[in-house]
């Protein structure tokens, strides 16, 4: 079960990177892109909303 949770977290994070047009830069990213593309993630997590990264408060 812990493995499934880990893969789910990685796949979700990678999907957010794809939304931001960040290229795969490791073998893990390439694996996630191949086995967990957006269509799979959208089906599995149908209520998930992709949100852009929040700006940090350091600029204030």
């Amino acid at each position: 079960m812990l493995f499934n949770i880990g893969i789910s977290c990685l796949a979700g994070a990678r999907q957010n990177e794809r939304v931001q047009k960040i290229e795969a830069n490791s073998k893990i990213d390439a694996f996630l892109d191949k086995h967990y593309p957006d269509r799979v993630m959208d089906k599995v997590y149908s209520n998930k909303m992709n949100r852009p990264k929040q700006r940090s408060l350091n600029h204030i």
Side-chain angles (χ1 to χ4, degrees), residues 13-57:
R14 180 64 194 136
Q15 184 183 31
N16 284 332
E17 290 178 351
R18 285 193 301 267
V19 167
Q20 297 174 32
K21 307 290 189 222
I22 298 173
E23 295 289 325
N25 58 8
S26 71
K27 289 185 179 187
I28 293 172
D29 288 346
F31 173 85
L32 294 170
D33 288 351
K34 180 179 180 181
H35 295 282
Y36 300 96
D38 290 340
R39 64 180 168 73
V40 171
M41 295 298 291
D42 291 342
K43 183 177 180 181
V44 172
Y45 300 105
S46 58
N47 292 327
K48 180 178 177 277
M49 295 179 4
N50 290 318
R51 297 180 184 193
K53 255 187 177 174
Q54 297 279 331
R55 288 178 38 185
S56 70
L57 296 178

